[in-house]
Amino acid sequence: MLEIEIDGKKLTVPQGSTIMDAAHSVGTYIPHFCYHKKLSIAANCRMCLVEVEKAPKPLPACATPVTDGMRVHTHSDLAVKAQQGVMEFLLINHPLDCPICDQGGECQLQDIAVGYGGGSSRYQEEKRSVPGKDMGPLVSAEEMSRCIHCTRCVRFTEEIGGFQEIGMANRGEFSEILPFLGKTVDSEISGNVIDLCPVGALTSKPFRYSARSWELSRRKSVAPHDGLGSNLIVQVYNHKVMRVLPLENEAINECWLSDRDRFSYEALNSDARLTRPMIKHDGKWHETDWQTALDYVVKGLTGVSAQHGKDAIGVLAGAGATTEELYLLQKLARAFGVNNIDHRLRQRDFAADEGQTGALWLGSTIAEMASANAVLVVGSTQRHEQPLLAARLRQAVKKGAELNLIHVADDELLTRVNAKLIVAPQALADGLAQVLKAVAELKGASANLDLSGVTVSDEARRIAESLVRAETASVVLGSVAQHSPVFSQLLAIGGEIARLSGAHFGVFSEAANSVGAQFVGALPRRGFAGAAVTAGLNAAEMIAAPRKAYVLWGVEPEADCHDGQAAVAAMKAAETVIAFTAFKGDGLLDYADVLLPTAPFTETAGSFVNMEGKLQTFNGVVRPLGETRPGWKVLRVLGNLLSLQGFEQNTVEDVRAEFVGPFGDGAAKLSNAVSGVALDKPAVTGLVRVGEVPMYHVDAIVRRAPSLQATVHAKAPVASANPAVLAAAGLADGELAVVRQGACEVRVPVKADAGLPEGVLRLAAAHPATVGLGGLFDPIELKRG
């Protein structure tokens, strides 16, 4: 530890600290622009100049390391004069357009100029003008004359994003911040440069010129799109969500936000919103009132129940619903006698259900996983599934962690990878079993699984060595692994690797409330808190053997199920389909019989349980749109109309009180342990589809956010395959081909990708161009168009 004195305050700081670090530790403010605690030191704005005794001139606080006995003055005459001089230089070319600047009212330059700027300028020369830049549909760079060249955006894309998409060209007064020629900024976390920009040079393109910052109300919330549970500040004007910003939480999302969480709010105000209950009569939709709609639901459920039995009803729930909604939904279903309820709509393999005892989760805290010395990620398109976790792992690798990979494609992770196995989806279990066998050999132990038919490859041995020698290690299954035909085997093998190596083992939760849905019992074989229940059908079984009635809670089956083609066929075969939804999608309008408008996360109070098992509550930030109602209230009333017991809750807190006590006491209910799963490599002939869900099509909200749909990540999918696969089909790179699954075929361009194993065709799911196809990892045909 080093001793330092700042403005007369004596303190001790760790070796390697800068003056800025020391000042922050005692709450002393030093003006700055280029400095940011998460970025490297640039020291190019010079705004943080301070006086250091015995130094011949003022020194930048952000780049000056502390020495023992150093005495610093941050507000002495010398320091203030230097800071004022820097401010004068910064304002020489800055345009005088504060009244029309989107950054007005929250501009760092504006704030600091009040304290350190002069009342007039000594410079009469003409201000320079810099042309605007096209950075894509999310980030506006139309006013680059405001740029002060702090280079925060440049450093962010390179250091946090992993790929330098923005650079500074030229020198001196000709310096410009710009994307690379002909390119846009396409990072999945690009919107953070808006927050980082201390002036109005980079602003939000969807928010641009829509409201002034001081007109907005600021309310806390939680991100609804992935299992990370990023904390949000939702900004509201006139009961309308206008902007979403990150709320700093170092344990979860740090100070960042993914573009999916930042810009999806546009859908909340879209024309696609369902604002009144609707009933289909004689093939035509009619708006109605809530009482009529709920009576219709009650009549439909009781009618099917009386004629075909309770087992003829299936309940499919979206894991983006609040914990309160999911709790009441399963409670209502079971009180009515229905046990066919599931939220795992994209899962194909349910063999582990019998031997599963708790809710699948990350297996550690997010911070623990990110600080592990070795991480093995299995079956995950990381940057698209978990953008902020991918960024965290990127930082961990920079600090010496070893990232290992078993996946179905050799994607560019924008970071160093220690070892990797690229295999077909049905071979994921074999790849992980190789690692298990190598771990067992290194530890001189035996696994509780039959590994006699497993041959260990060199890459698998490298992965095992990485996990064994690490002081702390994590093994994590991604969404591709969870949707694959060998998910149960991956759970069993991963658990054994963790047992033998001492690593943490878990899964990346696919949706915002995947853990909460499991805990409250939105499952066919486990009830609330893991209680034993009469076994029902899982999601795949409900689709394979169509029910007479379906209740859809926040679900669009064609895009949200493993086999969209079979799901739509099952809906059309049903006597009645009841959809609780915030949006009137084309699919629902086709096969549903009644649509009931339930509130999205911004219009209701509730909670999500993130992948580390943390329950985070939030309140509605705007009033429900039209006649939309909070889902928990709808379920409470429906329970009463069905004459069921236990639906007397008056507030969302009353609902939460029924499960939050057991949840708070029930950390043991979070468990990735499974039993009774045998290793068995599926026999596959022909071509198999790799059908990942694009990050801007994961749920109904992002699918309706115009700016996100305008990005390159939402463009029409192409079919990628190994060059040998294309050659066997007589296709050339870029050629138009016909892809067929079941009764549906689509024409798509093909792309040669040597990073894919032979025997697979990579074609995204949940996109309007591909929703008619079959299973995500099922056989698929490829032929010339």
Side-chain angles (χ1 to χ4, degrees):
M1 300 293 284
L2 303 174
E3 290 189 0
I4 180 177
E5 183 180 303
I6 298 181
D7 295 336
K9 299 178 184 176
K10 292 186 177 180
L11 63 148
T12 57
V13 295
Q15 185 83 30
S17 298
T18 64
I19 294 175
M20 186 73 81
D21 297 330
H24 282 171
S25 70
V26 292
T28 298
Y29 176 72
I30 299 175
H32 61 273
F33 293 112
C34 68
Y35 169 81
H36 191 277
K37 62 183 179 180
K38 295 289 184 180
L39 303 177
S40 63
I41 295 169
N44 53 8
C45 78
R46 318 308 283 184
M47 193 64 220
C48 63
L49 291 175
V50 295
E51 180 184 359
V52 178
E53 289 190 7
K54 298 182 182 179
K57 59 183 180 181
L59 300 176
C62 67
T64 304
V66 169
T67 58
D68 204 28
M70 178 182 279
R71 300 180 67 184
V72 178
H73 304 281
T74 66
H75 293 88
S76 66
D77 291 341
L78 179 64
V80 171
K81 184 177 180 181
Q83 293 159 358
Q84 289 174 339
V86 170
M87 177 56 67
E88 186 175 18
F89 278 122
L90 287 173
L91 294 177
I92 290 173
N93 278 311
H94 199 78
L96 302 177
D97 58 356
C98 290
I100 64 161
C101 179
D102 248 13
Q103 197 85 344
E106 53 188 10
C107 174
Q108 200 172 340
L109 180 68
Q110 202 175 56
D111 293 341
I112 295 178
V114 171
Y116 298 90
S120 61
S121 175
R122 291 184 288 173
Y123 295 88
Q124 303 303 317
E125 289 79 10
E126 184 177 345
K127 291 179 180 285
R128 76 168 191 159
S129 178
V130 180
K133 311 294 188 296
D134 179 17
M135 291 194 180
L138 305 180
V139 179
S140 173
E142 294 298 316
E143 308 292 344
M144 292 308 292
S145 295
R146 300 169 183 162
C147 178
I148 61 171
H149 307 125
C150 68
T151 69
R152 280 184 178 182
C153 56
V154 176
R155 286 174 284 149
F156 174 83
T157 59
E158 181 178 10
E159 298 167 14
I160 309 298
F163 179 68
Q164 189 176 353
E165 296 182 283
I166 302 174
M168 186 162 73
N170 307 320
R171 294 173 64 86
E173 65 173 319
F174 301 106
S175 297
E176 289 187 53
I177 298 291
L178 70 167
F180 289 94
L181 297 178
K183 302 288 186 180
T184 54
V185 179
D186 300 325
S187 169
E188 62 278 5
I189 53 176
S190 66
N192 290 289
V193 301
I194 299 168
D195 301 333
L196 287 171
C197 185
V199 294
L202 301 180
T203 55
S204 168
K205 189 169 281 188
F207 174 73
R208 185 173 162 83
Y209 294 144
S210 59
R212 305 313 303 249
S213 61
W214 54 85
E215 298 174 317
L216 303 174
S217 301
R218 292 159 174 79
R219 290 149 194 182
K220 298 178 181 179
S221 192
V222 180
H225 303 302
D226 60 45
L228 189 67
S230 297
N231 289 196
L232 310 177
I233 293 290
V234 180
Q235 298 190 327
V236 176
Y237 175 67
N238 198 22
H239 296 287
K240 183 177 179 181
V241 176
M242 303 300 294
R243 185 166 59 167
V244 172
L245 299 175
L247 174 62
E248 184 171 352
N249 186 329
E250 195 65 25
I252 297 177
N253 57 301
E254 301 177 282
C255 56
W256 311 124
L257 206 57
S258 69
D259 290 350
R260 180 167 57 194
D261 293 333
R262 183 185 296 271
F263 295 107
S264 64
Y265 72 88
E266 288 183 292
L268 303 173
N269 307 312
S270 73
D271 294 337
R273 282 292 303 274
L274 177 67
T275 57
R276 293 194 65 189
M278 298 176 70
I279 294 177
K280 186 186 285 184
H281 181 66
D282 292 335
K284 295 182 179 180
W285 284 100
H286 303 275
E287 291 187 343
T288 187
D289 59 84
W290 270 101
Q291 185 63 50
T292 303
L294 289 174
D295 287 343
Y296 184 96
V297 171
V298 170
K299 183 179 178 181
L301 292 177
T302 54
V304 170
S305 173
Q307 188 172 357
H308 304 287
K310 308 288 188 184
D311 190 55
I313 300 173
V315 181
L316 300 175
T322 68
T323 322
E324 292 76 9
E325 292 168 352
L326 291 165
Y327 171 74
L328 285 182
L329 181 64
Q330 65 83 32
K331 184 177 182 179
L332 182 145
R334 291 195 160 97
F336 190 64
V338 175
N339 292 296
N340 304 327
I341 178 171
D342 207 349
H343 70 279
R344 302 164 299 172
L345 308 183
R346 293 191 180 117
Q347 189 170 318
R348 174 181 170 182
D349 176 18
F350 298 88
D353 278 12
E354 288 283 357
Q356 201 173 318
T357 58
L360 301 178
W361 67 302
L362 186 59
S364 67
T365 66
I366 293 166
E368 285 173 340
M369 190 212 71
S371 62
N373 303 117
V375 179
L376 170 58
V377 180
V378 182
S380 173
T381 309
Q382 294 176 45
R383 292 172 53 204
H384 291 186
E385 289 176 19
Q386 302 290 341
L388 294 185
L389 277 183
R392 277 212 178 208
L393 289 174
R394 195 174 295 125
Q395 300 309 305
V397 170
K398 288 182 180 180
K399 296 174 183 176
E402 294 180 341
L403 177 61
N404 304 283
L405 184 70
I406 300 177
H407 194 32
V408 297
D410 192 5
D411 292 324
E412 176 53 69
L413 301 182
L414 303 179
T415 189
R416 185 177 67 254
V417 176
N418 176 64
K420 59 188 173 186
L421 276 174
I422 306 301
V423 297
Q426 64 273 16
L428 280 171
D430 180 70
L432 193 58
Q434 292 180 42
V435 176
L436 172 59
K437 189 168 186 177
V439 167
E441 291 172 357
L442 291 169
K443 293 296 250 183
S446 59
N448 294 328
L449 295 170
D450 182 10
L451 302 175
S452 57
V454 176
T455 303
V456 180
S457 65
D458 291 339
E459 285 296 291
R461 197 173 301 282
R462 286 185 61 198
I463 295 172
E465 290 169 351
S466 174
L467 297 175
V468 169
R469 68 171 171 257
E471 184 178 341
T472 56
S474 285
V475 179
V476 195
L477 306 182
S479 290
V480 171
Q482 294 170 56
H483 301 161
S484 77
V486 291
F487 177 45
S488 297
Q489 297 180 53
L490 293 173
L491 284 174
I493 299 167
E496 279 297 283
I497 292 175
R499 182 181 69 84
L500 295 180
S501 67
H504 295 293
F505 170 63
V507 300
F508 287 145
S509 295
E510 179 183 6
N513 212 12
S514 297
V515 176
Q518 295 174 78
F519 178 76
V520 299
L523 295 164
R525 292 181 176 272
R526 294 201 315 277
F528 169 57
V533 294
T534 301
L537 302 179
N538 60 47
E541 291 169 335
M542 282 186 256
I543 298 298
R547 304 292 92 190
K548 295 296 182 180
Y550 287 99
V551 176
L552 308 178
W553 190 272
V555 174
E556 295 177 317
E558 64 275 11
D560 293 330
C561 290
H562 182 89
D563 188 335
Q565 186 179 133
V568 171
M571 297 302 122
K572 291 183 176 181
E575 293 181 7
T576 185
V577 176
I578 301 161
F580 297 84
T581 176
F583 301 95
K584 44 187 177 185
D586 291 340
L588 294 177
L589 290 173
D590 179 30
Y591 49 70
D593 296 289
V594 57
L595 301 178
L596 298 104
T598 50
F601 77 107
T602 51
E603 298 170 19
T604 184
S607 63
F608 294 139
V609 183
N610 75 350
M611 64 176 69
E612 65 179 5
K614 183 179 179 62
L615 185 140
Q616 300 186 102
T617 62
F618 54 88
N619 293 312
V621 300
V622 293
R623 65 167 68 111
L625 188 63
E627 293 186 24
T628 297
R629 295 292 181 267
W632 70 268
K633 287 187 178 182
V634 176
L635 288 166
R636 188 269 317 275
V637 173
L638 186 58
N640 293 332
L641 292 176
L642 288 168
S643 301
L644 304 177
Q645 298 298 314
F647 291 86
E648 295 81 31
Q649 303 88 352
N650 292 317
T651 66
V652 72
E653 286 78 16
D654 291 342
V655 181
R656 192 178 302 144
E658 294 187 24
F659 65 80
V660 77
F663 182 86
D665 300 331
K669 300 300 181 184
L670 303 173
S671 172
N672 299 311
V674 297
S675 59
V677 177
L679 301 191
D680 179 27
K681 185 175 180 179
V684 177
T685 58
L687 205 58
V688 173
R689 182 183 182 186
V690 172
E692 301 124 307
V693 179
M695 63 179 167
Y696 298 149
H697 288 87
V698 293
D699 57 47
I701 297 178
V702 293
R703 289 194 283 265
R704 291 169 175 83
S707 295
L708 292 179
Q709 294 307 311
T711 65
V712 297
H713 300 294
K715 65 182 181 182
V718 299
S720 302
N722 190 281
V725 173
L726 296 185
L731 291 164
D733 188 21
E735 194 173 347
L736 204 62
V738 172
V739 172
R740 183 179 183 86
Q741 271 189 310
C744 179
E745 63 179 33
V746 297
R747 293 170 63 87
V748 292
V750 294
K751 177 183 178 183
D753 185 351
L756 288 170
E758 294 188 30
V760 305
L761 182 75
R762 191 179 199 183
L763 181 60
H767 191 281
T770 58
V771 289
L773 293 174
L776 303 183
F777 296 92
D778 287 352
I780 193 168
E781 298 177 46
L782 175 69
K783 57 186 179 180
R784 292 182 61 87

